[in-house]
Amino acid sequence: EPSEMSNRTMTIYFDQVLVNIGNHFDLASSIFVAPRKGIYSFSFHVVKVYNRQTIQVSLMQNGYPVISAFAGDQDVTREAASNGVLLHMEREDKVHLKLERGNLMGGWKYSTFSGFLVFPL
């Protein structure tokens, strides 16, 4: 779940981790650090707050946006944005989510972020 701090810092901080085998996702910084070189799969799903706004979330690799997702239907009060990608990562590469625009809904597990190693190189 994104914490309220996410709407102020633009880095999306999660306050709960369900699975973190190897502890490569740092909860304090909400950054995943690749333990080894390989192909990784990442996906995210976020929900905007109840108002007529647009949200944009980007998945960042080493500080650069790789993919983004938007939700901006003005007639929908609860709208989601999702995306996923396969990334070639080097050991110690970092991935996190960035809130580019808008505000996210917190609570009741509306938003998620997942990543895992698909193929080591």
Side-chain angles (χ1 to χ4, degrees):
E1 279 308 290
S3 72
E4 284 301 312
M5 185 168 37
S6 302
N7 292 326
R8 293 191 308 271
T9 64
M10 301 303 134
T11 295
I12 299 177
Y13 289 91
F14 290 85
D15 58 18
Q16 183 181 21
V17 175
L18 298 178
V19 177
N20 193 10
I21 296 170
N23 292 314
H24 300 291
F25 180 77
D26 178 54
L27 186 60
S29 65
S30 284
I31 294 174
F32 175 84
V33 180
R36 63 182 301 169
K37 182 178 179 176
I39 305 300
Y40 289 78
S41 174
F42 291 96
S43 63
F44 63 90
H45 178 89
V46 294
V47 178
K48 72 176 189 176
V49 296
Y50 301 104
N51 59 17
R52 294 179 178 271
Q53 68 165 327
T54 297
I55 61 167
Q56 176 187 353
V57 171
S58 295
L59 184 135
M60 309 292 286
Q61 181 180 13
N62 297 325
Y64 296 96
V66 178
I67 58 171
S68 292
F70 297 85
D73 189 330
Q74 299 299 305
D75 297 324
V76 177
T77 56
R78 185 180 294 173
E79 187 180 16
S82 300
N83 210 340
V85 67
L86 289 174
L87 291 179
H88 177 269
M89 296 181 70
E90 299 292 331
R91 185 176 185 275
E92 302 296 321
D93 276 1
K94 295 175 173 63
V95 170
H96 73 281
L97 295 181
K98 180 180 179 185
L99 181 62
E100 303 277 6
R101 179 176 6 166
N103 290 294
L104 297 179
M105 172 70 73
W108 291 97
K109 298 167 185 49
Y110 287 117
S111 299
T112 60
F113 174 51
S114 299
F116 57 90
L117 176 66
V118 175
F119 187 80
L121 297 174

